[in-house]
Structures are given as C-alpha cells and as structure tokens.
Amino acid sequence: MTESGDRIVVVTGGSRGIGRAICAALSAPGTTVYFNYNSNLDAALATAREISAGGGKACYHQVDVASESAVSDYLGTVLKEAGRIDVLVNNAGITRDGLLVRMKETDWDAVMDVNLKGTFNCMKVAAKAMMKQRYGRIINISSVVGVTGNPGQANYVASKAGIIGLTKAVARELASRNITVNAVAPGYIDTDMTGDLGDTAKAAMIGQIPMGRIGTPEEIAGVVAFLASAAADYITGQVIHVSGGMYM
Ligand code: NAP
C-alpha cells in the first residue's frame, strides 16, 4: 500500500481484449491501475473509462514493452509517483504466424521481443521494488499453446513456453520475499487477436475445445484477479489453464 493507502497495479497491453478486462477486474476503490498501450490511444481511453467505472484510478501511458529503456523509464515514473508496485500483470502480446520454413527472422524477433523480452523487462524493474516491499504479485499471460504446441506459430509458442519457464525460475528466486509469480494460460479467447480467423478455422478451433465454445476476456480476468488476491497468497510458480479443457 502507498502512504495514501492505494493498491498499485500495473497491467501491460491494457488497451484492448484480455488486458482491458484485467484492468476492469482489478479496478476497485483504493486501487490505482497503471496500464500501457502500444499504438491505440482511443482503445486506451475506453479502458480508462472502465477502470473509473469500477471505482479505481486509471493512469495510462504509451510504452513499447519490447524496449528495455522505455519500460525502465515507465516503471521508474510509476515508482516515483506511487512509491510501489503491488501487482504486475504481463499481458501485452502479439502474433506473427507462419510455418517455420517460411518464417522471417523479423517475425521471430518481433514476437520474442514483445511477448518474452517484454515480460522480462517489466518483471526485472518491478521485482526490485517488490523485494524492498517484501510483497508482490506477478501474473504472466502465457497460452495453452505454450504447453501443447501449435503448427504455424513456432515463434508465438516458443515465446509462451518461455514465459512459463521464466515464471517458474523467478517464482523460485522471489518466493522467500513474499512475492508470488504465476502464469495464466488462456485457450481460445474472443479478442482482436483471434478475430481475423475465418469461419472454417473458427469452427475447427471450437471443435478442439471440450466445453465447445470460445472463452471471454472476463473469464481470464477473473483468474488473474484471484491470483492477485489474498485468497492466492500461498500459490506460486503455477500455470493455471483457462481454456475450456483444451489442455488437461
Ligand atoms: P489483443 O486484443 O491483440 O491486445 C493486445 C494488447 O497488447 C493491446 O493492448 C496492445 O496495445 C498491446 N500490445 C501489443 N504490442 C505491444 C507492445 N509492443 N508494447 C505494449 N503493448 C503492446 O490481444 P489479446 O487477445 O487480448 O491477448 C492478450 C494476451 O493474451 C497476449 O499475451 C496473448 O498472447 C494472450 N493470449 C490470447 C489468447 C486469445 O485467444 N486471444 C489466447 C492465449 C493467450 P495496442 O492496443 O496499442 O495495440
């Protein structure tokens, strides 16, 4: 808590989709939700309105999480303003799909830089503050495909599997300081990221989901809110699958 008693939450990629739902779920009176976007200011403004409607205070910034210096400046500003970071949710992510043999190096690098290095960049700065506080909750958004694999997504799957390894390594490093680090692995969720799939691909995807339907961003956000809550104080280093049973 800050001197003013606020809980300070940081969510990356909060402007759309799952990130927006997480910002809304974590908003409450006495909570300040810092979130960043990459290029979509209008969407960020809509998220800020949702946070305000939940009773929390919204602070948004344009930050490319792939840039170590941009993240360091951004979280430095958060720490200067708020004095602490209680919860960090690494949600920002992109896809650049293609079969391995045709995958461009730039597509490999872009996905690894945003998804995996972005998570590392944010955790590194936040962990230092959390260690001093002797409290912190870090939740990283992976994906079911980081465990199962998926053809046409070698870069994305590698980044999401990397997030699981990163989560477990850092969970072991920080556990004694009362900092938990967990991952949430969503299945197929209805957002812009999956919106481009054609009807045939969508039907094939739904066919692989035992529960027979696409998930909602709110169903991911609810689990993130649980992991950030006192009810999850004794959970660390775990991967929680929220995928309608795609992985058992
Ligand atoms: P989305 O709708 O495409 O939203 C992506 C968010 O990430 C946006 O807020 C975007 O900001 C932000 N972002 C992208 N590149 C960024 C960068 N370089 N720096 C900072 N922010 C950046 O995606 P989503 O479906 O909500 O996915 C959210 C997370 O869940 C991702 O990590 C994704 O891999 C994971 N996930 C999604 C699904 C799914 O089915 N949707 C399944 C498993 C895992 P702008 O608005 O400014 O572009």
Side-chain angles (χ1 to χ4, degrees), residues 15-16 37-45 62 192:
S15 43
R16 289 182 286 124
Y37 63 100
N38 187 40
S39 57
N40 206 330
L41 175 61
D42 285 346
L45 292 170
Q62 189 287 322
D192 293 344

Side-chain angles (χ1 to χ4, degrees), residues 12-19 36-41 43 63-66 90-95 114-115 141-144 156 160 185-194:
T12 71
S15 43
R16 289 182 286 124
I18 293 170
N36 73 291
Y37 63 100
N38 187 40
S39 57
N40 206 330
L41 175 61
V63 184
D64 178 358
V65 294
N90 286 300
N91 163 79
I94 60 167
T95 51
V114 174
N115 298 7
I141 306 301
S142 177
S143 169
V144 66
Y156 182 78
K160 294 298 181 180
Y188 181 28
I189 308 301
D190 189 14
T191 68
D192 293 344
M193 188 176 269
T194 49

Side-chain angles (χ1 to χ4, degrees), residues 78-159:
V78 171
L79 287 166
K80 211 165 156 192
E81 274 177 24
R84 58 184 293 128
I85 296 172
D86 294 295
V87 179
L88 168 67
V89 184
N90 286 300
N91 163 79
I94 60 167
T95 51
R96 295 280 185 276
D97 294 351
L99 293 172
L100 174 74
V101 291
R102 288 197 216 125
M103 189 171 285
K104 294 190 196 115
E105 185 184 5
T106 48
D107 289 337
W108 173 271
D109 287 346
V111 169
M112 295 304 279
D113 283 355
V114 174
N115 298 7
L116 186 54
K117 196 171 89 178
T119 301
F120 161 76
N121 287 339
C122 296
M123 284 173 89
K124 191 174 165 184
V125 180
K128 273 189 200 151
M130 289 175 174
M131 284 165 79
K132 281 194 206 131
Q133 297 161 194
R134 296 212 160 244
Y135 176 86
R137 299 288 173 261
I138 299 175
I139 299 131
N140 298 325
I141 306 301
S142 177
S143 169
V144 66
V145 300
V147 176
T148 62
N150 201 28
Q153 291 198 303
N155 49 0
Y156 182 78
V157 168
S159 74

